[in-house]
Amino acid sequence: MKEAVKLVTLQKGKPPSFEEAQNRRQKARAAGMNPDYWYPAAWDKELTKGKMQEVVFWKQSIALYRGQDGVVSAIENRCAHRQLKLSYGHVEGCQVVCPYHGWQYDGSGRCVKIPHELFGKKMPEFSIKSYPVQVKHGLVWIFPGDPKLASERKIPDIPELDGSDPWGLIKIDVTVKGHHSMVMDNVSDFTHAYLHRKYKPFWDAKLTKLESVGDKVELEYDTVVGGGGVTAHFVNRANANTNRIKLGYEYPYQRSQTDEHIKHWCFILPIDENTTRTIFLFYFAHELVKIPGLGAWRMPGWLLRRVVMPLAKKFQVTPLINEDAWAVAVEQEGYNSHFDRPIAELNPAVHEFQALTIRKWEEHLAQTK
Ligand code: FES
Ligand SMILES: [Fe+2]
């Protein structure tokens, strides 16, 4: 029976679906993400009043817009009338207007106006789905799953970025042409130092801890963090132990920290099997960064945030992430052609990430049966 299924997928010439998958890697590469979490959808500042954009969460199209009252809403991206995408329309006041017959929807998804004759009928009750929305860390987040769970599911707090003198922050937003599980493998599997041999953000990583607890995978590497390239001159090793990094896949997010001085969160928006919007917030303590030759001087916040971070983003972090995005995209190409080849994976952490991704998707499928 198993052989028969395999033959069918091979004949189709495309990777198997989650149900057809024959092994863990195939399952991981076909899994969606559990919608009962908050996912980043847009940058708060970019979604100005009256603006609407399409956001896709795992093949579901959502119209995200900000009304003239400043409130952001997310509604299903289809008109109840003839199923046009509402994102082809526009925002009027706090309503979305469909471009075809002009039906109007409010932020709860209720059709509140039909601007043509009703053929003697009362204004009918038509509704489309709406999604909980919140703004945090400069991002607009949507909750694509069961709205009843929205208040109990939390977006991680980042106290380092609050207050009057926050850490230096680098924001990266990249749409990777690969599956979200490949992104997760990439950000937590430190065996790929070779890819970054030019910038050397880490090298010689040895996995010293790997632990799966509930919906989290925690791991640690002994490695040299930030020791290469130009960056090496700006990292104050007297103040931070940069020989170890702790990482976590805290479903559906990923994070790292180096001696409480360098941290990041990776928030992803899974779009489809081949596309993942990936948002990184990297943040750095004042004491971590130094100007060569100035010794133990504590860097003022303005210099850290307005000068050092933009330079680090341009010359170190963006090129690095572009290397990762490229590698994941070509990994996806390789997988799409060779999904049936034997698994050759050495890092046990990768197995743990994939197992968590699969389990969370199975939980979602079981709930929706
Ligand atoms: S299709 Fe939207 S108003 Fe008719
Ligand atoms: Fe990388």
Side-chain angles (χ1 to χ4, degrees):
M1 182 59 195
K2 272 192 169 180
E3 278 310 303
V5 173
K6 194 169 183 179
L7 199 61
V8 170
T9 58
L10 286 176
Q11 280 168 350
K12 279 191 216 153
K14 61 175 190 172
S17 67
F18 192 74
E19 291 69 28
E20 294 165 334
Q22 300 291 301
N23 57 43
R24 187 191 52 242
R25 183 178 57 192
Q26 289 183 348
K27 270 193 181 299
R29 302 298 185 235
M33 290 205 96
N34 190 310
D36 290 333
Y37 291 89
W38 289 95
Y39 289 89
W43 293 100
D44 185 38
K45 272 195 183 146
E46 291 176 9
L47 193 67
T48 48
K49 282 182 186 173
K51 192 166 171 187
M52 172 161 54
Q53 64 190 61
E54 179 183 23
V55 171
V56 177
F57 172 83
W58 199 246
K59 303 170 223 179
Q60 280 174 59
S61 181
I62 295 167
L64 185 75
Y65 75 96
R66 191 186 297 271
Q68 293 301 340
D69 58 357
V71 175
V72 181
S73 303
I75 57 178
E76 228 180 315
N77 197 8
R78 66 168 185 93
C79 178
H81 186 207
R82 305 259 178 94
Q83 320 303 324
L84 266 78
K85 279 188 177 174
L86 291 171
S87 56
Y88 291 133
H90 71 281
V91 176
E92 203 169 287
C94 300
Q95 256 82 271
V96 165
V97 186
C98 177
Y100 198 176
H101 310 87
W103 291 23
Q104 292 192 15
Y105 297 84
D106 68 13
S108 73
R110 199 164 62 93
C111 179
V112 292
K113 185 173 173 187
I114 296 179
H116 56 72
E117 102 161 287
L118 297 177
F119 304 95
K121 299 187 180 79
K122 282 198 317 207
M123 172 71 192
E125 289 282 326
F126 291 120
S127 270
I128 50 172
K129 204 169 153 185
S130 70
Y131 303 86
V133 171
Q134 66 168 304
V135 175
K136 191 163 177 164
H137 309 316
L139 287 160
V140 176
W141 302 73
I142 51 169
F143 196 89
D146 179 355
K148 290 196 288 299
L149 297 172
S151 58
E152 72 183 58
R153 293 284 153 88
K154 303 288 178 220
I155 298 166
D157 289 324
I158 309 182
E160 296 86 348
L161 297 181
D162 295 336
S164 58
D165 192 20
W167 288 20
L169 170 67
I170 294 176
K171 299 187 259 187
I172 300 281
D173 182 349
V174 56
T175 298
V176 179
K177 293 194 179 108
H179 188 272
H180 59 83
S181 66
M182 285 183 193
V183 174
M184 275 302 158
D185 293 351
N186 170 267
V187 290
S188 292
D189 170 19
F190 272 30
T191 58
H192 74 279
Y194 185 77
L195 175 71
H196 302 309
R197 57 198 176 279
K198 181 170 172 198
Y199 298 97
K200 295 190 174 66
F202 56 85
W203 71 74
D204 202 18
K206 302 274 186 298
L207 186 67
T208 55
K209 177 186 161 180
L210 177 60
E211 199 174 86
S212 290
V213 183
D215 293 345
K216 293 182 192 175
V217 181
E218 303 283 357
L219 59 154
E220 292 182 23
Y221 293 98
D222 279 349
T223 182
V224 181
V225 179
V230 179
T231 327
H233 305 290
F234 293 86
V235 175
N236 194 342
R237 278 166 223 290
N239 285 344
N241 176 5
T242 52
N243 293 321
R244 178 173 304 159
I245 187 166
K246 298 181 180 185
L247 299 112
Y249 179 12
E250 187 170 329
Y251 194 93
Y253 316 124
Q254 188 265 355
R255 58 173 153 72
S256 81
Q257 66 106 336
T258 300
D259 199 21
E260 297 291 332
H261 279 71
I262 312 172
K263 298 190 179 188
H264 94 264
W265 278 100
C266 173
F267 302 120
I268 61 182
L269 178 73
I271 294 172
D272 59 31
E273 286 89 348
N274 293 278
T275 323
T276 305
R277 187 170 175 190
T278 309
I279 290 171
F280 293 94
L281 302 182
F282 293 98
Y283 43 110
F284 303 83
H286 300 67
E287 297 76 17
L288 187 272
V289 189
K290 67 171 184 183
I291 300 286
L294 286 187
W297 183 61
R298 185 188 191 270
M299 180 163 296
W302 66 267
L303 184 59
L304 177 69
R305 291 187 291 271
R306 285 197 229 139
V307 180
V308 177
M309 290 296 110
L311 289 173
K313 177 175 178 173
K314 183 167 181 189
F315 293 109
Q316 180 80 4
V317 182
T318 300
L320 263 173
I321 297 294
N322 286 343
E323 288 180 337
D324 286 317
W326 173 83
V328 170
V330 293
E331 179 182 359
Q332 184 71 54
E333 273 177 29
Y335 178 72
N336 289 348
S337 302
H338 307 294
F339 53 84
D340 57 334
R341 299 295 169 181
I343 296 173
E345 182 54 62
L346 302 178
N347 188 345
V350 169
H351 302 316
E352 293 299 314
F353 303 143
Q354 294 181 355
L356 177 56
T357 295
I358 292 165
R359 178 166 61 74
K360 294 302 292 182
W361 186 239
E362 283 172 340
E363 277 175 18
H364 165 65
L365 294 178
Q367 274 164 8
T368 49
K369 258 185 191 160

